[in-house]
């Protein structure tokens, strides 16, 4: 799913986030809300994360063959923050598949970082040391967001979609998004709004000065294939989803 810069009237695609789906025995799509809790219950999320990292990086140069600037964002679960060998695994795969680290961003949820603070901080330092970037996902959903933010060495704040979806009609949501955006910018971080479903939301986010947007109003998720990514032009307006 594309993540677009919204600083101008045109939408310039910056990154594509890798979203996970599962197919059952009848090839029907199982959403992550159904299989992720099961993976967590049976302590399989670390294996899932490694599978995603390996496959995303193995496919990177083939999928982005038409672009030398688009990047990819990969989610990591909270349980992987306890994997002391995860950084080595990521570095090995970057080297194996010859992927430019500057074009790879890892997303970690705010809750996951808070629950594994010391390990997460070291992981962040290691990842940044090789040139990858970091996004703090679902920011604002935790109770201690601003208290912990100064300890997080990240590049992007992803504003939790629960504050974005009703921003046109809910003044409280607008105040929260404004605060997160201003604090993020004050700490030299870029902000990304989730759940941007229509032009009305996009207009408010532009007015507030949010940097990037993601959601069905920007582009719907498509299979991670070269023929889909080739339709994304990072220097020209992106055709928004119907």
């Amino acid at each position: 799913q594309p993540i677009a810069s919204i600083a101008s009237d045109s939408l310039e695609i910056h990154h594509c986030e890798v979203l996970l789906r599962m197919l059952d025995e009848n090839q029907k799509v199982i959403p992550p809300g159904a299989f992720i809790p099961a993976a967590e219950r049976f302590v399989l999320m670390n294996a899932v994360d490694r599978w995603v990292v390996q496959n995303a990086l193995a496919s990177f140069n083939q999928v982005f063959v038409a672009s030398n600037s688009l990047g990819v964002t990969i989610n990591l679960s909270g349980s992987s923050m306890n994997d002391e060998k995860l950084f080595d695994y990521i570095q090995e795969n970057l080297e194996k598949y010859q992927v430019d680290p500057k074009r790879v961003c890892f997303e970690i949820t705010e809750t996951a970082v808070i629950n594994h603070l010391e390990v997460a901080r070291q992981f962040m330092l290691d990842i940044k040391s090789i040139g990858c970037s970091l996004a703090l996902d679902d920011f604002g959903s935790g109770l201690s967001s601003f208290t912990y933010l100064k300890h997080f060495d990240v590049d992007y704040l992803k504003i939790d979609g629960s504050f974005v979806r009703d921003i046109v009609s809910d003044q409280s949501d607008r105040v929260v998004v404004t605060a997160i955006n201003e604090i993020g910018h004050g700490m030299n971080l870029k902000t990304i709004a989730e759940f941007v479903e229509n032009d009305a939301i996009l207009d408010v986010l532009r007015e507030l000065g949010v940097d990037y947007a993601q959601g069905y109003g920007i582009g719907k998720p498509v299979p991670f294939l070269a023929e889909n990514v080739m339709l994304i032009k990072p220097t020209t307006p992106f055709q928004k989803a119907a």
Side-chain angles (χ1 to χ4, degrees):
Q1 185 177 31
I3 299 173
S5 170
I6 59 175
S8 63
D9 290 337
S10 63
L11 297 176
E12 297 183 356
I13 305 307
H14 183 257
H15 269 71
C16 294
E17 181 178 356
V18 174
L19 303 175
L20 201 57
R21 300 292 183 268
M22 185 176 180
L23 298 178
D24 67 13
E25 60 272 16
N26 298 314
Q27 299 302 297
K28 291 184 178 180
V29 174
I30 303 175
F35 69 81
I36 292 295
E40 291 174 336
R41 187 178 309 120
F42 291 102
V43 197
L44 293 172
M45 275 310 301
N46 187 23
V48 171
D49 282 352
R50 283 174 171 251
W51 184 92
V52 174
V53 167
Q54 194 274 329
N55 280 273
L57 296 181
S59 305
F60 186 92
N61 289 313
Q62 289 74 37
V63 171
F64 291 100
V65 66
S67 171
N68 60 5
S69 59
L70 282 172
V72 67
T73 298
I74 301 171
N75 289 279
L76 296 175
S77 67
S79 61
S80 283
M81 290 299 93
N82 284 327
D83 182 357
E84 296 181 355
K85 296 183 179 180
L86 178 62
F87 169 70
D88 292 335
Y89 182 79
I90 290 172
Q91 189 172 29
E92 289 168 6
N93 278 275
L94 286 168
E95 295 173 355
K96 178 179 179 179
Y97 298 110
Q98 299 183 331
V99 176
D100 182 357
K102 294 180 180 178
R103 297 174 64 186
V104 179
C105 178
F106 290 97
E107 281 191 21
I108 310 172
T109 65
E110 174 191 354
T111 303
V113 175
I114 291 174
N115 289 340
H116 307 86
L117 187 57
E118 291 306 318
V119 179
R121 287 176 64 183
Q122 185 59 53
F123 175 80
M124 290 176 174
L125 291 172
D126 291 339
I127 282 294
K128 295 291 290 294
S129 72
I130 60 173
C132 294
S133 55
L134 285 164
L136 192 60
D137 198 11
D138 297 336
F139 189 79
S141 60
L143 297 176
S144 304
S145 299
F146 296 128
T147 301
Y148 283 98
L149 182 57
K150 62 183 179 181
H151 300 295
F152 301 156
D153 186 15
V154 298
D155 304 279
Y156 304 96
L157 286 185
K158 295 196 75 172
I159 304 170
D160 189 83
S162 63
F163 300 116
V164 177
R165 61 160 69 98
D166 297 320
I167 196 171
V168 175
S169 58
D170 192 317
Q171 181 62 25
S172 296
D173 285 343
R174 183 172 180 140
V175 169
V176 172
V177 172
T178 299
I180 294 174
N181 188 60
E182 290 183 353
I183 289 177
H185 286 171
M187 300 181 73
N188 296 316
L189 307 178
K190 296 293 185 180
T191 52
I192 304 171
E194 303 174 312
F195 290 19
V196 181
E197 308 301 319
N198 54 56
D199 287 343
I201 295 175
L202 190 60
D203 288 341
V204 172
L205 295 172
R206 278 201 178 107
E207 180 185 339
L208 297 180
V210 173
D211 299 298
Y212 298 96
Q214 179 181 10
Y216 278 22
I218 303 298
K220 295 180 180 179
V222 293
F224 193 53
L225 301 170
E227 55 261 38
N228 292 320
V229 175
M230 285 174 66
L231 299 176
I232 299 175
K233 308 292 184 181
T235 57
T236 59
F238 183 66
Q239 183 62 45
K240 291 190 288 183

